[in-house]
Amino acid sequence: MIELEGVPELVDPVMVAAFEGWNDAGDAASAAVAHLDKEWKGEVFAALDAEDYYDFQVNRPTVWLDDGVRKITWPTTRLSVVRVGGDKPRDLVLVRGIEPSMRWRSFCNEILGFAHELGVELVVIMGALLGDTPHTRPVPVSGVTSDADLARTMDLEETKYEGPTGIVGILQEACTHAGVPAVSLWAAVPHYVSQPPNPKATLALLNRLEDLIGLRIPLGELAEDARAWQLGVDQLAAEDSEVAEYVQSLEEARDTAELPEASGEAIAREFERYLRRRDGGGGEGGGTFSRDTPPSDRTRPPKPKPTQRPGQDAEGPVAEGPVAEGPVAEGESEGDGESPSDSPDSSDSSDSSDD
């Protein structure tokens, strides 16, 4: 039995989760939850026992000094709550941690126990994958669910994927079997520039979350960070003709694929978001979200390999990249066998200025 002390009764609570590791290309998803926690000043009310779920040789604890006293921070998953005011108040339960090393079923059951006790009405799990997407275009964000009814009512894709999965897929299925509505949001990160952070992908996930749950999310400096990130990658690509040529080929493929889909639906979503921000609906928050490293400090993107990669078929590229560093392409595990750029939600864009 989970006992929650000091946690107030929540208003229409939504649980938003992200996990570092395999499901978090460019740290985009974990940074999105961290942004929500910072902007809305989340209060941690629970942390899972690290020894139950983590291999400390894989995720090592860190030692730090607090006024000369040595302390240890253990890898774990923490839950915090944020109270969002405004005309339509709606509270969030934020789950932020590292993909567990073991006992995934117990891990998910513990998360669901908190969701049940707090009266959570919807679980949104965010992830990011490496994909064949150009950094100069809006970040594709796909929304998927295992619930056919939820897919129809919320205009989502019903997942048909079969194959290896990560904690995002396991938690979503656990929610489905427990009767808790659950949605996964996936952002595609360019595989040729997979180093974190990726504020443009983080911004795209937050915009999609905003549309999904109907809350205005304060962005702080994130939009400016996204523009600076894109400018930095532009400069790096311009220094290497092979990378520049490859980016151009991705742009042409993306633009060709989306030309018939230049629908009013995508324009309507952007206009609705603009109206929410202009009218000041939802909750406000203080603070800013800054880059971990400036664009000028980034290493050169690895040169792409234009040859066909494993899993690529005649219909187009799949969401996975040839780079060795960074998380494994979650397109193999959560992309439903499709690239997010083929998703009806791929028109969702960040607030950054794209070509």
Side-chain angles (χ1 to χ4, degrees), residues 153-240:
T153 57
M154 302 190 76
D155 191 23
L156 302 167
E157 285 290 296
E158 185 179 356
T159 180
K160 302 295 184 183
Y161 171 74
E162 296 177 316
T165 189
I167 192 60
V168 171
I170 297 299
L171 181 55
Q172 177 173 302
E173 289 307 307
C175 291
T176 300
H177 289 299
V180 178
V183 175
S184 295
L185 300 180
W186 288 98
V189 172
H191 67 80
Y192 56 89
V193 57
S194 60
Q195 303 93 331
N198 189 318
K200 186 173 181 178
T202 296
L203 181 59
L205 280 169
L206 291 174
N207 282 337
R208 187 68 176 89
L209 177 67
E210 186 178 69
D211 295 338
L212 188 69
I213 64 177
L215 281 181
R216 180 191 172 216
I217 298 174
L219 299 177
E221 296 180 356
L222 192 54
E224 181 59 33
D225 290 341
R227 284 188 286 268
W229 176 86
Q230 181 168 322
L231 178 60
V233 180
D234 284 343
Q235 294 171 345
L236 290 175
E239 295 172 4
D240 191 309

Side-chain angles (χ1 to χ4, degrees), residues 135 192 232-249 299-306:
H135 71 279
Y192 56 89
V233 180
D234 284 343
Q235 294 171 345
L236 290 175
E239 295 172 4
D240 191 309
S241 59
E242 187 177 351
V243 173
E245 183 179 350
Y246 181 68
V247 172
Q248 184 178 2
S249 70
T299 57
R300 180 186 298 275
K303 291 186 178 181
K305 298 180 181 179

Side-chain angles (χ1 to χ4, degrees), residues 10-33:
L10 304 182
V11 178
D12 298 331
V14 175
M15 178 175 281
V16 182
F19 303 94
E20 300 173 18
W22 201 55
N23 309 272
D24 194 25
D27 293 352
S30 57
V33 175

Side-chain angles (χ1 to χ4, degrees), residues 232-287:
V233 180
D234 284 343
Q235 294 171 345
L236 290 175
E239 295 172 4
D240 191 309
S241 59
E242 187 177 351
V243 173
E245 183 179 350
Y246 181 68
V247 172
Q248 184 178 2
S249 70
L250 291 178
E251 292 173 340
E252 292 172 354
R254 174 77 178 273
D255 293 344
T256 300
E258 289 190 347
L259 187 60
E261 303 297 330
S263 64
E265 183 179 344
I267 298 173
R269 276 199 298 266
E270 289 299 322
F271 187 64
E272 288 171 0
R273 185 180 297 128
Y274 161 75
L275 290 178
R276 279 199 302 270
R277 296 195 180 286
R278 186 196 66 177
D279 296 339
E284 295 288 348

